Amino acid sequence: EAGVAQSPRYKIIEKRQSVAFWCNPISGHATLYWYQQILGQGPKLLIQFQNNGVVDDSQLPKDRFSAERLKGVDSTLKIQPAKLEDSAVYLCASSPRREGSGYTFGSGTRLTVV
Amino acid sequence: AQSVTQPDIHITVSEGASLELRCNYSYGATPYLFWYVQSPGQGLQLLLKYFSGDTLVQGIKGFEAEFKRSQSSFNLRKPSVHWSDAAEYFCAVGAPSGGSYIPTFGRGTSLIVHP
């Protein structure tokens, strides 16, 4: 099966600019996650979708970050305006909705804010 | 809230030597535990997971992990390391959410393999 697709792979922007990342999960996976991985740290969950509804966005900095999954398939994560501390790899993952299933991660988007 | 501690930031082993990566967790209920590997520029790949049953779990690439409830540990082992095993390894504990499980990751352990 095809994996989780993410684009772009790399992005460099200046602070205060906006940026958007795209994720296409594995076909049929109801659950989609966005993680932020800062260099030297483990991934931190930003938001979890179940189909097109938000299950958990408690760690999403809502003053600047937004995410949507309008048709319950692909998803977009946006940052506006970006700060230097947003430099990180943004990982998307998906999983089928059943107990015992694992997660499949995409290769991520590496964001550098200068 | 759940948490994961990986006490070793870096581990260096010689090719062919055995490996053990440490992981300790904190969670109020029966934990769901994972080990992931991340190669440079890549996403995370699931090595193995523990949900219930046998406390010794076999994974891909010759890895295994043992769940020890009394020690709150889930250490990853491999009897003979290959140069291609050099990567970042993440332990995670999963908390139920919305019919699935959300893993909380440790900071990772970087494995360096000497020829």
Side-chain angles (χ1 to χ4, degrees):
Chain A
E1 63 180 4
V4 176
Q6 289 190 248
S7 66
R9 286 298 307 273
Y10 306 93
K11 191 73 177 179
I12 301 175
I13 63 172
E14 296 182 349
K15 59 184 179 182
R16 291 188 288 275
Q17 285 188 322
S18 63
V19 64
F21 314 125
W22 175 81
C23 171
N24 191 19
I26 291 175
S27 178
H29 280 195
T31 311
L32 184 148
Y33 313 80
W34 282 103
Y35 282 83
Q36 179 192 57
Q37 186 178 18
I38 293 173
L39 186 65
Q41 298 181 21
K44 183 187 80 171
L45 180 70
L46 292 176
I47 188 167
Q48 175 193 1
F49 291 95
Q50 187 71 36
N51 297 311
N52 62 347
V54 175
V55 175
D56 184 347
D57 63 356
S58 58
Q59 298 194 75
L60 187 73
K62 298 180 186 62
D63 58 334
R64 297 184 300 105
F65 286 65
S66 64
E68 59 184 14
R69 192 184 184 198
L70 293 176
K71 296 182 179 179
V73 181
D74 56 346
S75 175
T76 303
L77 176 69
K78 297 180 181 178
I79 307 175
Q80 182 179 6
K83 293 185 176 181
L84 296 177
E85 58 262 36
D86 297 332
S87 294
V89 175
Y90 291 85
L91 294 164
C92 180
S94 68
S95 71
R97 187 179 179 182
R98 63 173 181 266
E99 184 170 330
S101 59
Y103 304 79
T104 302
F105 282 83
S107 297
T109 295
R110 181 176 297 277
L111 173 67
T112 302
V113 182
V114 298
Chain B
Q2 66 274 13
S3 65
V4 174
T5 301
Q6 293 181 250
D8 303 307
I9 298 175
H10 303 283
I11 290 282
T12 302
V13 300
S14 298
E15 190 170 17
S18 62
L19 170 70
E20 182 169 28
L21 301 182
R22 296 184 292 166
C23 172
N24 293 96
Y25 67 89
S26 174
Y27 187 58
T30 301
Y32 299 93
L33 297 161
F34 308 83
W35 274 100
Y36 285 85
V37 61
Q38 185 177 36
S39 298
Q42 301 298 313
L44 283 81
Q45 181 184 22
L46 180 67
L47 286 175
L48 48 79
K49 60 188 177 188
Y50 171 79
F51 277 61
S52 64
D54 193 346
T55 57
L56 184 62
V57 181
Q58 300 298 321
I60 62 171
K61 304 185 179 185
F63 286 93
E64 67 177 26
E66 186 171 12
F67 168 56
K68 293 185 177 180
R69 185 186 299 275
S70 62
Q71 299 177 20
S72 297
S73 69
F74 190 57
N75 294 349
L76 182 71
R77 300 194 294 250
K78 186 169 184 177
S80 178
V81 171
H82 188 262
W83 64 266
S84 60
D85 293 325
E88 193 83 15
Y89 290 80
F90 294 94
C91 181
V93 59
S97 176
S100 184
Y101 300 90
I102 296 180
T104 296
F105 289 87
R107 63 182 298 173
T109 297
S110 179
L111 175 63
I112 301 166
V113 181
H114 281 314

